[in-house]
Every structure is written in structure tokens, then in C-alpha cells.
Amino acid sequence: MSILLWPPPLLLLLAALVAPATAATTYRPDWNRLRGLARGRVETCGGQLNRLKEVKAFVTQDIPLYHNLVMKHLPGADPELVLLTRNYMELERIPLSEMTREEINMLVQELGFYRKSAPDAQVPPEHLWAPAKPPEDASERADL
């Protein structure tokens, strides 16, 4: 009987500790699926952004700093990061609604998008095609 009395407070404490860790949605890139990643587009509806302050801050303040990342307004769309090839073929869609501004910035940088110091800053030549990376075996095929 005493076993039934002590778990509720312990379970409440455990739930309180675990909830913040599971509240944020994290995205882990599948690099095999993202071969050919060359650009990105954030699709969203202006009305949706008004209720999502973190995503709105990213869209209005951070997107202009990223090379090869643009914003596209679509009526009724939930915010998503659409990853594209050089030929604009869609590789993957990542929902942004549950992410913080910091999480979105970390994700975009992990994916290899170059962040400029200012919206009109020059992009260094080595980052012009970012986030695209040359094939790993390109040197082996150079003579073909």
C-alpha cells in the first residue's frame, strides 16, 4: 500500500523534468537523402507567422543573412524549410512551427548554409555554392 502513495509526487517531478527536454522538435539531417542540397526556401503564410513569434523573427531578421535561402509566402501554409537541389528539385520538407529561432538558425548552419555578416555583404568564393558540397569521390573521377 505504501508503494502506491509515493509514486505520484515522484512521477510529477519526473514529468516536470522530462517535459522541457521533449517539448522542442529536433531535426536530424539524413545526409544520404540530402545529397545535392544546394539551396533552401522557407514557405509560410503571413497569418501563420503572427502567432509564431520565434519563426517570424527568423523569417524577418535571419533569412536575409543566409546565402541561397529565400522566403516564399504561400496562403495557409505552416512554416516549413524546403531543401532543394541546384535544379530546384525538392529533397525534404522540415516543419518549423515547433522550433525556436535559435534551433532554426543552428539547423540551417548545420545544413551548410552560409551566414553573411549583413544582408548585402559579399559571399566568399568558397561559399558561393553553399550549402552544396562537391561529391566526395570527385577527385577520383577527375580523369574520366
Side-chain angles (χ1 to χ4, degrees), residues 68-88:
N68 285 337
L69 186 62
V70 297
M71 170 67 189
K72 182 176 182 180
H73 289 279
L74 294 177
D78 283 331
E80 290 183 309
L81 173 60
V82 182
L83 302 176
L84 306 164
T85 67
R86 226 173 256 175
N87 298 327
Y88 296 94

Side-chain angles (χ1 to χ4, degrees), residues 14 18-20 61 72 103 108 140:
L14 181 61
V18 172
Q61 297 171 29
K72 182 176 182 180
E103 289 171 332
V108 169
E140 296 173 8

Side-chain angles (χ1 to χ4, degrees), residues 34-144:
L34 296 178
R35 291 185 71 85
L37 174 63
R39 57 187 89 230
R41 177 176 67 220
V42 174
E43 295 180 349
T44 190
C45 170
Q48 297 286 352
L49 284 181
N50 289 333
R51 67 179 177 81
L52 302 168
K53 292 181 181 182
E54 293 280 330
V55 178
K56 183 175 184 175
F58 173 78
V59 167
T60 58
Q61 297 171 29
D62 297 331
I63 285 180
L65 298 174
Y66 286 101
H67 180 61
N68 285 337
L69 186 62
V70 297
M71 170 67 189
K72 182 176 182 180
H73 289 279
L74 294 177
D78 283 331
E80 290 183 309
L81 173 60
V82 182
L83 302 176
L84 306 164
T85 67
R86 226 173 256 175
N87 298 327
Y88 296 94
M89 291 178 50
E90 187 175 308
L91 295 170
E92 191 158 355
R93 289 180 171 264
I94 304 165
L96 301 178
S97 299
E98 302 298 321
M99 297 176 76
T100 66
R101 179 181 181 186
E102 182 180 342
E103 289 171 332
I104 299 169
N105 273 296
M106 288 173 32
L107 170 63
V108 169
Q109 290 175 27
E110 180 182 358
L111 290 169
F113 287 90
Y114 176 73
R115 185 178 171 111
K116 302 179 282 187
S117 57
D120 57 350
Q122 291 288 338
V123 177
E126 64 270 18
H127 295 288
L128 285 176
W129 294 104
K133 296 174 179 67
E136 294 173 12
D137 59 350
S139 61
E140 296 173 8
R141 298 180 183 207
D143 58 343
L144 295 178

